[in-house]
């Protein structure tokens, strides 16, 4: 990763994504550029100087001459903040995507938990479940907030949920969100060696849309396909509590996106990843429990808003 000198003419530096390079390599005519994106991660808009002594032509000069990132293909690093085009120029607020931990099924573990330490924690098999229960001195870890049964979806009671909308008290939640600000599609990226996704209602495992060279799986979800995406309830003008019930968006609300997690085959069946990139919990008995901390990235396709949710994957090691 490097910067390009932007002190003179405007530079357009573009690269193909992993998917684009794959299709171009096929040589079968399937390679067509149909979409592109712009980002401004490196720009500091506070550099705008409306009081510049040389006049208005210099107000944004420092911004325009900011060195820009060269184009690079690492999908885990490129364009955290994508630019979007909106037809309404009178918007005062833009929507966000916010993790919802207000329901029993989406609560996170306690920060003082000896295993989870405040992070959603998925156990990969029954041996790990038994070992974790013995370590914590409890009977059923599946009923503990924030712990995910990664091998038996029927018994799992913890799910990942994010809500989308205008999180402001200046607009009543009774108003309908502008259609061009409403998310109806979500992109999820995760480490396919550790995790997979399933529909919490049908328990059907989702099919990944793309797997890159770093084993990061991308999943695209569209409202109406499965029960992943649903409308959020609207509030009322006289709400005494704008976060009533399980709502965590204060203003006009869009959609909620919710799914379950399963352990991937590699994580469930082998110690290799945990021996290679994992860390061992300090236990006081003969059991050895290793963990790997990872992130799930959720992106709203309409607005490009991103949120990362940390996940801890644990496994009892064979000794």
């Amino acid at each position: 990763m490097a910067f390009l000198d932007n002190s003179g003419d405007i530079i357009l530096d573009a690269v193909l994504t992993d998917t684009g390079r794959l299709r171009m390599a096929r040589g079968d005519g399937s390679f067509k550029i149909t979409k592109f994106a712009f980002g401004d991660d490196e720009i500091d808009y506070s550099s705008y100087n409306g009081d510049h002594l040389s006049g208005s032509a210099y107000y944004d000069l420092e911004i325009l001459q900011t060195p820009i990132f060269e184009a690079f293909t690492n999908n885990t690093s490129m364009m955290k903040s994508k630019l979007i085009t909106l037809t309404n120029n009178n918007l005062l607020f833009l929507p966000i995507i916010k993790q919802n931990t207000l329901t029993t099924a989406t609560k996170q573990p306690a920060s003082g938990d000896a295993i989870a330490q405040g992070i959603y924690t998925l156990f990969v098999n029954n041996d790990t479940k038994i070992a974790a229960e013995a370590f914590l001195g409890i009977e059923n870890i599946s009923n503990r907030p924030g712990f995910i049964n990664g091998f038996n979806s029927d018994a799992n009671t913890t799910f990942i949920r994010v809500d989308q909308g205008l999180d402001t008290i200046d607009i009543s939640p009774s108003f309908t969100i502008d259609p061009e600000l409403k998310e109806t599609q979500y992109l999820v990226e995760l480490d396919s060696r550790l995790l997979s996704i399933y529909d919490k209602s049908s328990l059907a495992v989702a099919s990944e849309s793309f797997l890159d060279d770093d084993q990061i799986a991308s999943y695209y979800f569209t409202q109406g396909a499965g029960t992943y995406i649903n409308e959020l309830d609207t509030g009322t003008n006289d709400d005494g509590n704008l976060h009533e019930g399980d709502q965590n968006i204060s203003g006009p609300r869009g959609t909620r996106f919710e799914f379950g997690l399963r352990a991937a085959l590699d994580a469930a069946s082998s110690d290799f990843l945990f021996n290679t990139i994992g860390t061992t919990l300090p236990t006081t008995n003969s059991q050895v429990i290793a963990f790997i901390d990872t992130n799930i990235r959720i992106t709203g396709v309409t607005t490009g808003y991103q949120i990362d949710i940390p996940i801890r994957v644990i496994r009892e090691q064979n000794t």
Side-chain angles (χ1 to χ4, degrees):
M1 184 187 302
F3 286 93
L4 299 175
D5 184 4
N6 193 28
S7 59
D9 295 333
I10 295 176
I11 297 172
L12 178 62
D13 187 33
V15 293
L16 294 175
T17 62
D18 289 339
T19 304
R21 296 201 309 276
L22 177 65
R23 290 179 179 173
M24 184 171 65
R26 290 175 184 166
D28 59 2
S30 63
F31 173 69
K32 292 182 176 63
I33 298 176
T34 59
K35 296 181 180 179
F36 62 90
F38 292 114
D40 61 351
D41 297 297
E42 65 271 55
I43 305 302
D44 178 8
Y45 289 103
S46 66
S47 299
Y48 184 87
N49 182 8
D51 298 320
H52 200 288
L53 297 178
S54 298
S56 59
Y58 292 83
Y59 288 176
D60 59 355
L61 184 62
E62 187 172 345
I63 293 175
L64 294 176
Q65 292 184 344
T66 299
I68 61 172
F69 287 140
E70 68 172 352
F72 49 94
T73 59
N74 186 343
N75 59 300
T76 62
S77 303
M78 62 183 182
M79 285 194 293
K80 304 290 186 183
S81 305
K82 294 180 181 178
L83 303 181
I84 60 175
T85 300
L86 299 172
T87 59
N88 186 351
N89 294 323
N90 297 316
L91 295 172
L92 298 178
F93 303 95
L94 289 176
I96 67 167
I97 297 174
K98 190 175 182 180
Q99 184 180 353
N100 189 320
T101 60
L102 299 177
T103 72
T104 302
T106 61
K107 285 183 178 178
Q108 289 182 294
S111 59
D113 189 284
I115 292 180
Q117 298 172 349
I119 302 172
Y120 285 123
T121 298
L122 179 145
F123 44 92
V124 301
N125 54 32
N126 193 55
D127 288 341
T128 304
K129 176 179 179 292
I130 294 171
E133 289 169 345
F135 175 64
L136 294 173
I138 60 176
E139 291 187 358
N140 190 354
I141 199 171
S142 295
N143 294 332
R144 198 176 181 93
F147 279 84
I148 301 171
N149 189 323
F151 67 93
N152 184 354
S153 301
D154 275 324
N156 182 44
T157 59
T158 297
F159 303 94
I160 307 300
R161 170 177 165 178
V162 295
D163 294 353
Q164 182 262 338
L166 304 181
D167 196 28
T168 173
I169 61 174
D170 292 331
I171 306 177
S172 169
S174 64
F175 285 98
T176 302
I177 193 169
D178 190 313
E180 68 176 348
L181 301 180
K182 179 180 175 182
E183 297 290 358
T184 58
Q185 290 183 304
Y186 291 87
L187 165 66
V188 180
E189 297 166 282
L190 53 75
D191 191 330
S192 65
R193 301 170 301 173
L194 301 174
L195 301 167
S196 62
I197 293 174
Y198 70 90
D199 187 313
K200 60 172 291 190
S201 295
S202 68
L203 305 185
V205 177
S207 298
E208 61 193 33
S209 303
F210 178 70
L211 183 67
D212 74 5
D213 55 349
D214 298 315
Q215 302 303 306
I216 301 299
S218 297
Y219 296 80
Y220 282 91
F221 296 95
T222 301
Q223 189 171 13
T227 62
Y228 296 98
I229 305 173
N230 294 280
E231 300 289 325
L232 282 172
D233 295 332
T234 57
T236 61
N237 281 314
D238 57 355
D239 281 336
N241 177 11
L242 291 173
H243 289 188
E244 75 277 14
D246 64 353
Q247 304 296 329
N248 70 342
I249 297 293
S250 299
R253 297 158 185 160
T255 56
R256 75 172 186 267
F257 176 45
E258 194 168 11
F259 56 88
L261 289 174
R262 286 184 62 90
L265 181 61
D266 286 351
S269 60
S270 171
D271 289 338
F272 175 75
L273 286 173
F274 294 87
N275 290 333
T276 305
I277 59 175
T279 304
T280 301
L281 286 169
T283 58
T284 57
N285 51 35
S286 60
Q287 295 163 327
V288 178
I289 299 176
F291 68 90
I292 298 174
D293 286 341
T294 185
N295 280 328
I296 295 176
R297 172 164 295 169
I298 301 173
T299 304
V301 175
T302 299
T303 65
Y305 195 97
Q306 292 181 342
I307 181 173
D308 288 344
I309 298 178
I311 305 290
R312 174 164 290 184
V313 182
I314 63 172
R315 175 182 169 84
E316 184 195 26
Q317 298 293 77
N318 295 321
T319 57

